[in-house]
Amino acid sequence: VDGLIATPQGDGSGALSEAIAAGVPTVFVDRRVAGLDVPVVASDGDGGVRSMVEHLAGLGHRRIGVIAGPQEASTGRDRLSAVRAAIRQHGLAADDELVRFGDFQLDTGVRCAGELVELAEPPDVIFADDNLMALGAFQELRRRGIRVGEEMGLAAFDDLDWFSLVDPPITAVAQDTRALGAEAVRLLREVREGGQPADVTLPVDLRVRRSCGEGRR
C-alpha cells in the first residue's frame, strides 16, 4: 500500500509497527503510541473534558460517575486523567469507586452504569468517555426506571446525530470527525512526499442539551 491511516489499540506492536519500521508512510488518528514517531491528528480531548466537568459542576453536580475507556489506549488514559484533574480543580468528589472501566463498546456501558447506580452513594451524573458506552448507560438507566436528567444525569464524550432526538436529548462533547479524516489524509500526503508534519489538534464543541438536569434551570 502507499500509506496507512490507523487508530492503534495498545502499544502498536505486531504488523503495524512492522509496517512503520519498513517505511510505509503512516498517520495515526485519535491515538498516540509511545516509541512510534508517527504524525497524529486528534481532537482536543483535555479541553472537551474540562468544559464538560465545568458544565456539570455549574449545574450543581458534586459526584460525577465516570465510565472510562480502556487504559491500554492513549485516548482512554488521557480522558480519564483530564476528568480527574478537572474534578480536583472544581473540588468535586474524587472517590475511586466513582470510576468504572469499559472498552468503548455498548455492553460495558450497560455494566458500568449498573455498577455505579448500585453504589451506596451513587453519582449525581454519569460521564461516559465515548458515545457507545453512553448509549449502554442510557439503556441501563431507562431499564431501571431512572429518569435521565431528573433522577440522574448522563453526559458523553463523542456526540451522535441522534443524541438530540432521544428524550431527554443527551449533552455531549462533539468531535469534528470529517475534519479529523481530512487532516489525516493531508498529513499522509505530506509524509509520502518526504515531509515531517507536526501533530494536529482540532477543537471540540460542547453541545448542551437536557440530559444532565439543564431543563430544570
Side-chain angles (χ1 to χ4, degrees):
V1 298
D2 295 318
L4 290 172
I5 295 175
T7 302
Q9 185 85 341
D11 62 3
S13 61
L16 183 58
S17 60
E18 292 171 7
I20 295 169
V24 177
T26 303
V27 170
F28 287 163
V29 178
D30 197 44
R31 300 281 197 278
R32 290 176 171 81
V33 177
L36 295 183
D37 187 16
V38 174
V40 177
V41 56
S43 298
D44 182 10
D46 284 358
V49 167
R50 287 196 304 270
S51 63
M52 178 64 81
V53 173
E54 181 178 6
H55 172 67
L56 298 177
L59 291 171
H61 297 300
R62 308 305 298 170
R63 292 177 61 79
I64 300 176
V66 180
I67 303 180
Q71 297 304 284
E72 61 269 22
S74 63
T75 308
R77 295 191 302 271
D78 292 347
R79 290 179 188 171
L80 177 58
S81 177
V83 168
R84 284 174 162 159
I87 284 174
R88 290 193 299 270
Q89 177 184 349
H90 289 279
L92 308 179
D95 301 344
D96 287 341
E97 68 176 4
L98 288 172
V99 178
R100 292 292 186 271
F101 295 93
D103 60 0
F104 291 146
Q105 299 300 318
L106 185 146
D107 288 348
T108 54
V110 172
R111 172 181 57 79
C112 292
E115 293 174 359
L116 290 168
V117 167
E118 292 175 0
L119 290 174
E121 190 177 353
D124 307 319
V125 60
I126 294 174
F127 181 23
D129 273 357
D130 91 319
N131 48 33
L132 287 179
M133 294 192 301
L135 173 59
F138 186 79
Q139 290 180 344
E140 180 64 9
L141 294 178
R142 293 289 290 270
R143 186 187 71 81
R144 291 172 177 259
I146 296 172
R147 292 174 303 202
V148 176
E150 297 181 33
E151 296 175 305
M152 184 174 291
L154 176 64
F157 197 109
D158 283 345
D159 196 23
L160 286 173
D161 289 341
W162 56 264
F163 273 4
S164 63
L165 304 178
V166 298
D167 185 20
I170 298 174
T171 294
V173 175
Q175 303 186 75
D176 189 340
T177 52
R178 287 184 178 274
L180 285 169
E183 283 296 304
V185 172
R186 183 184 66 79
L187 292 180
L188 186 60
R189 285 174 174 164
E190 287 193 32
V191 175
R192 287 186 58 201
E193 293 169 0
Q196 295 180 317
D199 293 348
V200 174
T201 301
L202 298 178
V204 295
D205 179 31
L206 176 61
R207 296 182 178 171
V208 176
R209 297 184 178 116
R210 291 192 292 107
S211 62
C212 301
E214 295 91 346
R216 298 177 303 185
R217 300 280 170 168

